[in-house]
Amino acid sequence: MKKTLLLIVAALTVTAAMAQERRLEATMFKEFKPAVITFSDGRKINQPLANVFLKNGALLFPKGDYTMEANMGNIAAVDFGDRHFVTIDQQLAYRVDSVEGGNALYCIELFDQETYNRNLRNNINISNLDLGDQISTTTIDINTEEDYKLPVFRHFYMQLDGQMVKVHERELNRKLNKEQRAMMKRIMALPDFSWQREESLMQLLKAISKSDK
């Protein structure tokens, strides 16, 4: 009986450790990778290992046994290979695509810790095992790896004539001229348009960029 109980406790310990490990995977890239950091004053440095923290959009880098957050107030851009990031409101936004003339669509990815914790609790089945002799324990059945996917929310920005504008109808209306606003309404009326769909936003960006000429 003691051996059985020890095995169950050991299994629970391993399961809990695996769950904790997955909870800490809150970075955009699965593994840290080389990056080129451009500072606000134009200086550039090569960072051997870096990542993007999905909790607040900050740049992460290892330092000894610790993982550090960079001071985002001093960082203008970061390049991970061919993926280009710029700093918007001290959060790293990656470039989705650009159009002729320099206008571009950017995205900030962040996760909601509260929603994640709630989903985690809801997707774990807890049941009691009666081992007899007044000994009982609890097992945790983690359904699938899908239970641990972070609820990531995407916040889009458009770079229009050198200025970053949040992708929202009200914010764009303030920036666009009369012809551009009319074009935006036509794009919004399309049956497959969505403010969270990259294809829709690029279609909108191309339309208002042409109307700006």
Side-chain angles (χ1 to χ4, degrees):
M1 183 63 66
K2 288 184 179 180
K3 183 177 180 181
T4 302
L5 182 58
L6 286 174
L7 288 173
I8 292 175
V9 171
L12 289 173
T13 302
V14 171
T15 299
M18 290 172 63
Q20 178 65 22
E21 182 181 356
R22 292 190 186 96
R23 278 196 291 269
L24 295 177
E25 292 177 356
T27 53
M28 182 169 291
F29 305 111
K30 186 175 181 180
E31 298 179 353
F32 280 61
K33 55 176 63 178
V36 178
I37 303 172
T38 302
F39 292 96
S40 302
D41 59 6
R43 292 182 300 115
K44 291 186 178 184
I45 64 168
N46 293 314
Q47 177 63 37
L49 294 173
N51 214 323
V52 181
F53 195 18
L54 292 178
K55 184 174 183 180
N56 57 8
L59 180 71
L60 297 179
F61 61 93
K63 187 175 182 180
D65 295 332
Y66 299 94
T67 299
M68 311 295 290
E69 283 189 31
N71 180 0
M72 298 305 298
N74 297 326
I75 295 177
V78 180
D79 290 279
F80 292 89
D82 60 355
R83 173 160 279 198
H84 179 66
F85 290 75
V86 298
T87 301
I88 303 175
D89 295 332
Q90 299 196 27
Q91 298 171 325
L92 286 175
Y94 63 86
R95 183 169 56 204
V96 176
D97 204 349
S98 60
V99 299
E100 185 179 355
N103 289 341
L105 178 67
Y106 285 87
C107 179
I108 297 174
E109 291 189 356
L110 301 173
F111 77 86
D112 187 325
Q113 182 71 53
E114 182 178 347
T115 300
Y116 171 65
N117 289 336
R118 183 171 63 250
N119 290 345
L120 189 64
R121 289 193 299 269
N122 291 342
N123 286 316
I124 293 180
N125 297 325
I126 301 177
S127 59
N128 293 319
L129 285 182
D130 185 2
L131 302 179
D133 296 334
Q134 298 181 340
I135 298 176
S136 63
T137 187
T138 301
T139 63
I140 302 177
D141 177 23
I142 302 176
N143 295 328
T144 66
E145 291 289 330
E146 297 296 318
D147 297 336
Y148 288 93
K149 283 193 174 181
L150 296 175
V152 175
F153 297 93
R154 300 194 298 172
H155 308 268
F156 290 98
Y157 287 79
M158 285 183 180
Q159 181 177 323
L160 299 172
D161 301 327
Q163 297 182 13
M164 287 295 179
V165 182
K166 189 171 184 178
V167 175
H168 186 281
E169 183 178 359
R170 181 176 63 250
E171 298 297 327
L172 287 171
N173 268 323
R174 294 174 180 173
K175 170 66 179 175
L176 304 181
N177 59 38
K178 183 177 180 180
E179 184 179 352
Q180 289 173 317
R181 288 195 295 269
M183 183 61 69
M184 182 173 71
K185 289 183 179 179
R186 293 193 193 103
I187 300 298
M188 289 170 55
L190 296 176
D192 60 347
F193 178 83
S194 169
W195 290 103
Q196 283 294 309
R197 186 171 174 266
E198 292 181 1
E199 293 81 2
S200 295
L201 298 182
M202 284 304 302
Q203 188 175 13
L204 173 60
L205 180 62
K206 290 176 183 177
I208 61 180
S209 295
K210 289 180 180 178
S211 299
D212 190 34
K213 295 181 180 180

